[in-house]
Amino acid sequence: MNAVPGSNEARVLLQGLYADMAPQHLYPLWEVLSALVTPTPRSAAQAHLWHYDAARAHLLRAGDLITAEQAERRVLILENPGLPGTSSVTTSLYAGLQLILPGEVAPCHRHTQCALRFVMEGDGAFTALDGERAVMRPFDLVLTPNWQWHDHGNDSSDPMIWLDGLDIPTVRHFAASFAERLPDGAMAHAETAPPGDTLARYGRNLRPFGGTAAARRPASLPLFHYPFAEWRASLAAMARADAPDPHLGHALEFVNPADGGPVMPTVAAHVRLLPKGFTTRPRQATDATVFVVVEGEGTARIGEQDFPPVERDLFVVPSWESLAIEARRDLVLFAYSDAAAQQKLGLWREARL
Ligand code: 1HN
């Protein structure tokens, strides 16, 4: 039985060992180590572009066939082609396009997954967070942090569609999902504050002074509405004052005013402006990122592939794929990723090429 390690005989005997161990759920690390601990990230996720117009047509068809109330949330999942069956857009994140028609409500619930909404079209529907409405306009960012009650409604006369970005695969990874509906089958949370109340208290470099009564929102994460009108004006001012960063263009991150960090514990979001004719240098980062084209058009070179998104299209860049973006017209992008989680775990890296 004593074969020389590395000999053909030993290899045959190892196969026998593996066969004998497997029923007891024991496996040799040495056969898989190099695939487990890779020198650089290897993601099963693939780069992909979704054309908004095509997705929208399918979503409106669903709108004729199922109500928001029946569906609980009427959403088309943007599933990464490299992660089939996982409802994941990256290994850690989820993306979907949600439709809410005039007069509809999406019932109040809460869950341990945190979510962001980025408005793609429509004007005047709302998300209520713990009973306070954020009235949503195109390209606004609205947050529903983990375990906060949220319902949606559309009192406007137009359909509204927004992008949902959630940390569903991350929460699934930790097997830490909890969810519940309001008791007694209530559809909407009782109003707790007038619309815009939190934005006025926390969204302007101010906060309630001298007491907890006026704080109202959780101290660790008070703000949940970042209007397009404000972030777009900031990007424009930045573009007037500075040359673009070679790898990012003009870029601004949405921050939690309570700590200056990313908007939620697992999810970070930012916007970029690339002036017409500008091409970024390639950059890699460990946070796979979902992008939305807010304005303009261009080419996203992801690894060796070129994608040509136009306004409202969405694309995903996997971990450690190089990304270079060319702006054929002034290009404005919204993006979200798991950088918030990776930075807490000491995992996040980038390489500027
Ligand atoms: C959710 O709560 C919403 O509140 C949207 O609008 C999409 C996908 C999975 C789990 C919860 C929403 C969701 C979701």
Side-chain angles (χ1 to χ4, degrees):
M1 268 308 259
N2 267 355
V4 178
S7 66
N8 274 339
E9 190 190 359
R11 268 192 283 280
V12 171
L13 293 172
L14 277 172
Q15 294 306 322
L17 172 62
Y18 301 167
D20 292 345
M21 293 191 301
Q24 289 145 59
H25 309 285
L26 293 166
Y27 297 91
L29 172 64
W30 56 89
E31 295 288 349
V32 294
L33 181 55
S34 64
L36 291 178
V37 181
T38 58
T40 54
R42 291 206 196 134
S43 178
Q46 295 172 16
H48 192 75
L49 169 67
W50 288 267
H51 288 296
Y52 180 70
D53 286 346
R56 175 185 194 275
H58 294 307
L59 188 52
L60 291 174
R61 264 175 77 188
D64 290 334
L65 302 173
I66 186 167
T67 67
E69 193 180 333
Q70 285 165 344
E72 182 146 350
R73 299 295 188 262
R74 189 200 290 112
V75 181
L76 300 188
I77 298 167
L78 277 55
E79 187 177 77
N80 191 292
L83 306 169
T86 64
S87 304
S88 301
V89 69
T90 72
T91 54
S92 62
L93 296 174
Y94 159 104
L97 287 170
Q98 177 160 181
L99 168 66
I100 182 157
L101 293 167
E104 284 192 323
V105 291
C108 194
H109 66 195
R110 64 178 176 179
H111 39 68
T112 48
Q113 293 82 1
C114 72
L116 61 78
R117 328 281 166 196
F118 188 72
V119 180
M120 304 295 291
E121 69 173 81
D123 201 333
F126 66 85
T127 288
L129 189 66
D130 286 338
E132 179 190 332
R133 290 183 180 189
V135 178
M136 297 159 86
R137 314 207 59 193
F139 309 124
D140 283 5
L141 173 65
V142 174
L143 311 179
T144 60
N146 138 356
W147 208 242
Q148 298 194 14
W149 293 109
H150 54 286
D151 52 87
H152 313 292
N154 188 349
D155 296 338
S156 82
S157 50
D158 296 310
M160 178 171 271
I161 297 175
W162 62 68
L163 172 69
D164 289 315
L166 288 90
D167 59 359
I168 289 170
T170 300
V171 175
R172 182 168 57 203
H173 173 75
F174 291 112
S177 177
F178 290 87
E180 62 189 20
R181 290 278 286 268
L182 273 181
D184 309 324
M187 295 291 284
H189 197 287
E191 184 171 332
T192 54
D197 185 73
T198 292
L199 191 57
R201 289 177 197 224
Y202 292 96
R204 304 193 173 122
N205 286 319
L206 295 165
R207 65 180 179 195
F209 173 75
T212 52
R216 194 118 74 196
R217 298 272 311 138
S220 63
L221 216 172
L223 191 59
F224 61 98
H225 191 184
Y226 299 75
F228 168 75
E230 296 182 10
W231 67 256
R232 184 66 182 87
S234 292
L235 267 187
M238 193 177 181
R240 284 192 297 273
D242 274 347
D245 176 277
H247 294 86
L248 300 171
H250 303 284
L252 289 167
E253 183 176 2
F254 296 97
V255 297
N256 173 359
D259 59 12
V263 284
M264 290 183 289
T266 50
V267 178
H270 72 272
V271 285
R272 304 184 189 186
L273 168 61
L274 278 58
K276 175 185 160 106
F278 180 75
T279 303
T280 69
R281 296 190 56 77
R283 171 180 174 271
Q284 296 163 284
T286 52
D287 56 319
T289 302
V290 177
F291 287 89
V292 179
V293 176
V294 174
E295 293 169 29
E297 59 185 59
T299 303
R301 166 155 288 195
I302 307 172
E304 305 289 298
Q305 281 177 283
D306 280 343
F307 296 89
V310 298
E311 217 164 275
R312 290 187 171 77
D313 286 353
L314 304 107
F315 60 95
V316 60
V317 180
S319 168
W320 216 241
E321 291 275 11
S322 70
L323 171 66
I325 305 172
E326 177 192 352
R328 260 193 307 287
R329 293 192 285 126
D330 275 7
L331 185 63
V332 177
L333 301 169
F334 167 80
Y336 72 98
S337 80
D338 67 6
Q342 288 199 36
Q343 284 161 357
K344 289 182 186 71
L345 298 173
L347 294 172
W348 186 82
R349 292 197 198 189
E350 69 171 345
R352 296 182 174 221
L353 309 173

